[in-house]
Amino acid sequence: MKNNIKTLRAAFQLTQSDLAEKIEVSRQTVNAIEKGKFDPSLPTAFRLAAVFNCSIEELFIYESEE
Amino acid sequence: MKNNIKTLRAAFQLTQSDLAEKIEVSRQTVNAIEKGKFDPSLPTAFRLAAVFNCSIEELFIYESEE
DNA sequence: TTTAAATGTAAAGCAAACTTTACATTTAAA
DNA sequence: TTTAAATGTAAAGTTTGCTTTACATTTAAA
């Protein structure tokens, strides 16, 4: 699963800490999701999409797992 | 988080087992998601949306947690 | 009305999402 | 060029998504 969080976060001029606060997760979680270390939960994905005013599908690119 | 899986599954004439097979989870997992016992992972949500040819936002209704 | 399919649910265990703490590295402003 | 903010990352622990096994209940077809 790829995502456009880093780009959008920059466009919205938010630090990882700012974004973490908005979506109510830790800064490390934002970093990990952004870097593709793991996928967010569905609720977290919804909150991210809300912050960036876009759909989950616009934020995340699903690629069938291996 | 509410969802329309039961309705859509009926419309597509799929059993919980059928759907489980399609999205590659266990039947119990489909049942639990359908009954709102827990939220699916983001990859599972993507696969569900793909089966029903709709968006994740059309399938799941996000409600801020308590 | 009997039988089979479908659904509901529970327990034990594993895996992944997330936390906190902590520290090292990069970036950018003074 | 020093300093602070921002980012990267790691370890240990908690929570939750999901599995398998197992069985009970509901639904529907014969």
Side-chain angles (χ1 to χ4, degrees), chain B residues 28 50 60:
Chain B
Q28 286 79 350
F60 297 93

Coordinates of all heavy atoms in Angstrom, one line a residue, chain B residues 28 50 60:
Chain B
Q28 N -15.6 -16.1 9.9 CA -15.8 -15.5 11.2 C -15.4 -14.0 11.1 O -16.1 -13.2 11.7 CB -15.0 -16.2 12.3 CG -15.6 -17.5 12.7 CD -15.2 -18.7 11.8 OE1 -14.7 -18.4 10.7 NE2 -15.5 -19.9 12.1
A50 N -13.8 -3.4 -3.5 CA -13.5 -3.9 -4.9 C -14.6 -5.0 -5.2 O -15.1 -4.9 -6.3 CB -12.1 -4.6 -5.0
F60 N -18.4 2.0 4.3 CA -18.3 2.3 5.7 C -18.7 3.7 6.1 O -18.3 4.6 5.4 CB -16.8 2.0 6.1 CG -16.4 0.6 6.0 CD1 -15.8 0.2 4.8 CD2 -16.7 -0.4 6.9 CE1 -15.4 -1.1 4.6 CE2 -16.3 -1.7 6.7 CZ -15.7 -2.1 5.6

